[in-house]
């Protein structure tokens, strides 16, 4: 007789290093009061050993740090290597830039975590409770105000102000005025655009409007106004800025907060379950600000003449040459900027919560922790923005033209023949856009949503590639626009006309996806980098303004995704036709 | 009424593992490396150790992923151990897991495997007799 042992018992014997403990011994004995009633049990604080504290905190910090490292490091390396290998120029101020990039990473880690812990709970509470407690007009007013608030808190918006210091007042007085004296009003205008977009987007959820007519209705006046402005030689320079503002707005704080509010409103009306309900707000939030910025520019042009603006600019420049006031010097400038970005938003959210909803926060300690993190993160990010991203972008942007034209700071420029040099610059821009977009975490999330939405017909990978391809082409076009100083309207008009035609041909899903994909691609790392690169590039080739690259990077993915969508539709239709033909040809195989 | 037989699996156990959001995929991969056939993940919220850790507790995610895996009794201990280590469940706040005995389970089983197993069972029972 052989001995029979169950394999499972054997495995347990050789691998089993289990030590059984009875759970009964772990549970506490309840204390009873005099009457014999059990007192509510309150567990003691756990005392952790240092190694355990490390084990808990290490993955928490590690994951978040890695996320931002992935977004920043490849881009920075790409720019630096390109500068070293292709342009054969040393990176100046490399220590300052490295420190700046480090503070961008640390700042983003803190800011994103603070956003999640401190600000998102507000969004969720307001999004779920507000629509059921208040009348629609109140809800929409709060949505509008919130849109303005979140725009001020958006990290990338600071890049616009940084960019403003590089514009010369004599060349483009209105542009200079908008970015300097009027900078806060400009952000307010952009915010109003975002708020309005949120209101219209919410109404769209509620009444189930199609996105197509909304897109047409928004584009017609926007393009009309652009045409009007482009006819005025003084005003023309602000077009690039206006269209870029659309791309800047849709960042890591606007999108989730506005979406949670919009979806909450739709859900309260019993219409939250549409697969498309999340879309549309982002699209409108990247179109409406274009309009508001143009209107603001017209207003500025109305009340002041170019000569006046140049004089004011000269006067303020004269003052600036003296020692700067304490609040305009580096750490304090960013600290004030950070406080101005976060604190009003928090106060507004608190007011809505206490005055309108009469709700209390469930975990005030955690919320305070989150808000302090967000504030600290914003300040550190702002410092990194001016010393890391903007500096690096401006430097590479200023040096790339050395490939095809003569530049003072590069000794043996042009480095290559004119045609080849331009090709080098375009390839540089294309790969920058392609790579930066693929690294954007928001795009990954959109890709997943889209894959589910289309039942796999539009795979995540295909969407990400289409968007990245579109952004790459867009940025290359933007560079071309700066090199040959092509008026931006010549690029925008055909681009958006094509987009409108393709929108009319596409089904609702693809329209939603395509127009939203333009908004998600421009995150807090890409925007400042591309913006400052464009301006540095523009200064180097002697262009009046270096804006417009971001707007090209917005229309690019719209066209690419719409095109891919049409192609998929065509492919599916052809497959259906083919299978029908096969059925007719060989009926016996079916039976 | 269908006269078709349902192939029912016996000797199965259910491993349920609750971890912080975002970690589940790694644990499922580890379990599959030692022979687990499939896994289901759903989302939830949890509390426990986090509230007792004070400031350190902020590092622990409230949102959880709940992994459920059906395994054969014979592979249970090996999968259990692998999942414990992959999820670092020995660290405070990382999560917990437990095993439930299953009476029976049913799913798609490839036709030829059902055939082979029934034949073997028939042979075994006739051999004993």
């Amino acid at each position: 007789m052989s001995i029979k042992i169950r394999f499972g018992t054997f495995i347990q014997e050789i691998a089993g290093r289990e030590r059984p403990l009875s759970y009964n011994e772990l549970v506490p004995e309840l204390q009873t009061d005099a009457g014999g009633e059990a007192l509510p049990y309150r567990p003691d604080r756990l005392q952790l050993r240092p190694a355990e504290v490390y084990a808990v905190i290490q993955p928490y910090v590690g994951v978040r740090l890695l996320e931002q490292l992935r977004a920043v490091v490849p881009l920075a390396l790409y720019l630096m290597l390109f500068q070293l290998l292709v342009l054969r120029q040393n990176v100046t101020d490399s220590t300052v830039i490295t420190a700046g990039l480090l503070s961008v990473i640390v700042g983003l880690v803190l800011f994103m975590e603070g956003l999640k812990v401190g600000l998102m709970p507000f969004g969720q509470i307001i999004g779920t409770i507000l629509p059921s407690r208040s009348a629609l007009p109140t809800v929409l007013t709060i949505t509008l105000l919130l849109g303005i608030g979140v725009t001020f808190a958006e990290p990338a918006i600071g890049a616009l102000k940084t960019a403003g210091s590089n514009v010369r007042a004599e060349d483009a007085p209105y542009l200079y005025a908008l970015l300097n004296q009027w900078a806060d009003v400009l952000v307010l205008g952009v915010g109003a655009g975002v708020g309005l977009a949120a209101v219209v987007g919410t109404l769209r959820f509620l009444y189930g409007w199609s996105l197509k007519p909304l897109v047409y209705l928004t584009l017609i006046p926007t393009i009309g106004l652009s045409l009007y402005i482009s006819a005025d030689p003084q005003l023309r320079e602000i077009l690039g800025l206006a269209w870029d503002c659309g791309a800047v707005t849709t960042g890591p704080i606007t999108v989730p907060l506005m979406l949670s509010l919009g979806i909450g409103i739709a859900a309260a009306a019993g219409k939250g379950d549409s697969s498309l309900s999340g879309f549309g707000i982002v699209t409108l939030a990247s179109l409406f600000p274009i309009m508001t910025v143009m209107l603001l520019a017209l207003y500025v042009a109305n009340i002041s003449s170019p000569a006046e603006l140049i004089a004011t600019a000269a006067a303020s420049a004269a003052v600036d040459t003296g020692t700067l006031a304490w609040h305009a010097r580096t750490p304090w400038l960013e600290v004030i900027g950070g406080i101005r970005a976060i604190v009003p938003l928090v106060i507004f959210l608190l007011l809505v919560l206490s005055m309108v909803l009469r709700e209390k926060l469930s975990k005030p300690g955690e919320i305070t922790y989150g808000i302090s993190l967000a504030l600290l993160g914003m300040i550190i990010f702002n410092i990194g923005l001016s010393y890391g991203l903007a500096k690096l972008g401006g430097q590479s942007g200023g040096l790339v033209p050395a490939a095809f034209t003569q530049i003072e700071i590069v000794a043996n420029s042009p480095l290559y023949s004119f045609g080849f040099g331009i090709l080098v610059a375009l390839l540089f821009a294309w790969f920058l856009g392609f790579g930066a977009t693929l690294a954007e975490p928001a795009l990954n999330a959109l890709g997943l949503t889209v894959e589910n939405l289309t039942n796999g017909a539009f795979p995540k990978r295909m969407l990400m590639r289409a968007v990245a391809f579109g952004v790459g082409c867009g940025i290359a076009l933007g560079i071309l626009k700066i090199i040959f100083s092509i008026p931006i309207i010549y690029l925008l008009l055909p681009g958006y006309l094509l987009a409108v035609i393709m929108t009319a041909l596409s089904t609702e899903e693809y329209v939603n996806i395509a127009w939203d994909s333009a908004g998600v691609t421009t995150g807090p790392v890409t925007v400042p980098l591309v913006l400052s690169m464009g301006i540095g590039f523009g200064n180097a080739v002697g262009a009046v303004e270096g804006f417009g690259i971001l707007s090209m990077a917005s229309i690019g993915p719209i066209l690419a995704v719409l095109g891919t969508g049409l192609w998929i539709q065509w492919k599916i239709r052809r497959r259906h036709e083919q299978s029908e033909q096969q059925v007719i040809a060989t009926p016996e195989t079916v039976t | 009424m269908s006269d078709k037989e349902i192939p029912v699996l016996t000797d199965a156990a259910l491993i349920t593992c609750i971890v912080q959001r975002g970690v589940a995929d790694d644990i499922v991969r580890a379990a599959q490396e030692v022979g687990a056939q499939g896994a289901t993940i759903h989302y939830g919220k949890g509390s426990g150790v986090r509230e007792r850790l004070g400031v350190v507790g902020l590092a622990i995610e409230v949102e959880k992923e709940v992994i459920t895996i059906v395994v054969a009794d014979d592979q249970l201990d090996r999968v259990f151990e692998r999942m414990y280590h992959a999820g670092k469940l020995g660290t405070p706040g990382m999560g917990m897991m437990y095993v439930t005995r299953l009476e029976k389970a049913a799913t798609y089983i490839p036709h030829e495997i059902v055939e082979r197993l029934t034949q073997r069972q028939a042979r075994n029972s006739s051999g004993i007799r």
Side-chain angles (χ1 to χ4, degrees):
Chain A
M1 267 311 274
S2 57
I3 306 166
K4 280 185 183 168
I5 302 173
R6 265 186 82 247
F7 186 54
T9 326
F10 169 65
I11 293 289
Q12 205 167 357
E13 234 3 81
I14 58 164
R17 275 160 289 166
E18 296 176 3
R19 190 198 310 163
L21 298 168
S22 168
Y23 197 4
N24 286 328
E25 284 161 35
L26 290 177
V27 269
E29 247 172 72
L30 290 182
Q31 306 286 319
T32 48
D33 60 10
E37 289 284 307
L39 291 170
Y41 165 65
R42 282 191 213 292
D44 300 330
R45 268 287 161 80
L46 285 177
Q47 290 302 319
L48 294 188
R49 283 172 291 166
E52 287 173 328
V53 174
Y54 172 76
V56 173
I57 291 181
Q58 186 268 325
Y60 173 73
V61 177
V63 167
R64 284 155 182 82
L65 201 61
L66 205 67
E67 207 170 274
Q68 301 305 334
L69 277 175
R70 254 191 227 130
V72 176
V73 171
L75 268 182
L77 271 184
Y78 171 67
L79 288 184
M80 289 186 181
L81 284 179
F82 186 84
Q83 199 169 325
L84 283 174
L85 299 178
V86 181
L87 303 175
R88 291 173 227 142
Q89 297 297 316
N90 277 324
V91 181
T92 46
D93 295 336
S94 53
T95 20
V96 177
I97 290 182
T98 314
L101 290 177
L102 267 179
S103 65
V104 164
I105 294 168
V106 174
L108 276 179
V109 169
L110 295 177
F111 179 75
M112 298 305 262
E113 185 60 17
L115 185 66
K116 203 186 100 196
V117 180
L119 290 172
M120 281 307 145
F122 281 109
Q124 277 159 7
I125 295 176
I126 294 179
T128 47
I129 300 182
L130 180 69
S132 55
R133 291 244 180 111
S134 311
L136 193 59
T138 323
V139 177
L140 293 182
T141 317
I142 290 174
T143 312
L144 181 72
L145 292 175
L146 195 61
I148 299 173
V150 292
T151 306
F152 273 96
E154 195 61 65
I157 213 88
L160 273 184
K161 295 182 191 163
T162 321
S165 53
N166 290 328
V167 176
R168 282 184 299 272
E170 299 77 36
D171 294 338
Y174 289 123
L175 185 64
Y176 180 85
L178 276 182
L179 287 170
N180 291 283
Q181 294 101 298
W182 291 80
D184 290 324
V185 189
L186 177 74
V187 179
L188 191 69
V190 173
V194 173
L196 218 59
V199 169
V200 177
T202 307
L203 288 174
R204 179 180 108 87
F205 289 167
L206 281 180
Y207 301 111
W209 296 339
S210 159
L211 188 63
K212 286 186 190 183
L214 278 182
V215 167
Y216 305 146
L217 280 178
T218 319
L219 272 181
I220 291 169
T222 313
I223 289 183
L225 202 60
S226 302
L227 280 172
Y228 172 73
I229 285 181
S230 72
D232 184 330
Q234 293 290 346
L235 269 175
R236 193 188 290 157
E237 316 299 350
I238 65 104
L239 269 186
L241 170 72
W243 285 80
D244 275 5
C245 280
V248 177
T249 52
T250 44
I253 170 159
T254 313
V255 175
L257 262 181
M258 298 322 271
L259 273 187
S260 67
L261 193 56
I263 292 174
I265 296 171
K271 284 175 182 146
D273 259 359
S274 158
S275 53
L276 287 175
S277 53
F279 289 89
I281 286 189
V282 174
T283 306
L284 297 173
S286 53
L287 287 178
F288 280 18
I290 304 173
M291 195 74 179
T292 50
V293 170
M294 286 193 293
L295 288 174
L296 178 67
L298 282 178
Y299 173 72
V300 173
N302 227 348
I303 60 162
S304 47
S305 70
E308 273 171 41
L309 290 173
I310 294 173
T312 347
S316 66
V319 173
D320 276 354
T321 45
T323 46
L324 290 164
W326 66 271
H327 56 79
R329 262 174 291 164
T330 259
W332 300 113
L333 183 69
E334 279 84 7
V335 169
I336 292 174
I339 292 173
R340 278 214 304 205
I342 304 281
V343 172
L345 176 66
V346 171
I347 292 176
F348 174 70
L349 288 171
L350 277 174
L351 278 181
V352 170
L353 209 63
S354 59
M355 309 289 280
V356 183
L357 297 179
R358 300 181 195 290
E359 281 282 319
K360 281 228 170 67
L361 284 170
S362 55
K363 288 172 185 162
E366 263 177 46
I367 302 264
T368 318
Y369 160 78
I371 291 172
S372 335
L373 268 194
L375 189 60
L376 192 67
M378 189 74 166
I379 292 169
I380 298 179
F381 175 80
N382 276 342
I383 295 178
L385 182 72
S386 25
Y387 290 93
L389 288 178
K391 218 177 175 114
L392 180 63
Q395 198 179 110
S396 337
L399 285 173
V400 170
F404 57 86
T405 182
Q406 177 149 17
I407 286 183
E408 290 161 32
I409 44 170
V410 181
N412 50 347
S413 62
L415 294 167
Y416 306 100
S417 70
F418 186 73
F420 184 69
I422 285 197
L423 190 70
V424 167
L426 289 186
L427 281 178
F428 162 78
W430 193 86
F431 278 107
L432 177 68
F434 190 79
T437 310
L438 279 185
E440 199 68 56
L443 182 62
N444 207 355
L446 180 77
L448 275 178
T449 321
V450 167
E451 190 170 312
N452 291 336
L453 204 61
T454 57
N455 298 324
F458 206 143
K460 183 181 115 185
R461 187 172 291 226
M462 190 191 256
L463 177 92
M464 290 180 67
R465 290 210 179 131
V467 172
F469 177 81
V471 173
C473 293
I475 291 186
L477 252 182
I479 292 279
L480 215 57
K481 172 233 163 209
I482 296 177
I483 298 176
F484 295 107
S485 33
I486 306 167
I488 192 158
I489 193 79
Y490 291 165
L491 296 172
L492 288 174
L493 200 59
Y496 276 92
L497 273 181
L498 194 60
V500 165
I501 295 170
M502 281 160 96
T503 301
L505 291 174
S506 302
T507 55
E508 187 73 22
E509 280 109 6
Y510 291 116
V511 171
N512 279 285
I513 297 164
W515 285 88
D516 263 26
S517 65
V520 300
T521 52
T522 43
V525 177
T526 329
V527 166
L529 210 55
V530 170
L531 214 54
S532 51
M533 192 193 79
I535 290 164
F537 196 94
N539 283 343
V541 298
V544 175
E545 46 102 18
F547 288 100
I549 299 186
L550 282 175
S551 56
M552 288 290 106
S554 295
I555 182 69
I558 296 177
L559 291 177
V561 175
L562 279 176
T564 319
L566 283 175
W567 180 64
I568 291 176
Q569 272 176 295
W570 176 76
K571 219 172 52 174
I572 291 175
R573 200 178 315 132
R574 205 185 53 167
R575 196 185 305 146
H576 279 297
E577 277 165 15
Q578 271 176 356
S579 56
E580 270 166 35
Q581 277 168 357
Q582 272 174 0
V583 171
I584 297 161
T586 53
E588 62 270 39
T589 52
V590 182
T591 48
Chain B
M1 280 276 162
S2 162
D3 54 2
K4 229 175 157 190
E5 255 182 350
I6 300 176
V8 168
L9 293 171
T10 56
D11 297 323
L14 178 74
I15 303 179
T16 310
C17 178
I18 305 161
V19 290
Q20 295 176 74
R21 190 138 193 188
V23 191
D25 284 345
D26 290 339
I27 299 178
V28 169
R29 202 172 307 126
Q32 279 169 339
E33 274 168 18
V34 285
Q37 297 293 305
T40 309
I41 298 171
H42 28 233
Y43 301 112
K45 268 187 182 179
S47 63
V49 179
R50 184 178 192 271
E51 286 66 31
R52 299 176 58 182
L53 284 180
V55 184
V56 182
L58 289 169
I60 297 167
E61 178 74 67
V62 183
E63 287 180 41
K64 311 289 186 200
E65 286 172 328
V66 184
I67 311 164
T68 50
I69 298 183
V70 177
V71 292
D73 279 349
D74 290 351
Q75 50 174 186
L76 173 63
D77 286 318
R78 188 181 287 204
V79 176
F80 190 80
E81 190 190 340
R82 234 358 238 288
M83 287 173 69
Y84 179 88
H85 290 305
K88 299 199 180 70
L89 295 187
T91 312
M94 290 302 122
M96 66 173 303
M97 67 193 294
Y98 51 84
V99 174
T100 334
R101 297 275 161 204
L102 294 182
E103 198 164 318
K104 59 184 179 183
T107 177
Y108 163 74
I109 301 166
H111 181 68
E112 61 274 12
I113 292 184
V114 180
E115 208 93 301
R116 204 162 63 218
L117 289 178
T118 18
Q119 274 169 15
R120 194 189 294 167
Q121 257 173 8
R123 216 180 304 130
N124 284 352
S125 56
S126 64
I128 287 165
R129 213 185 298 146

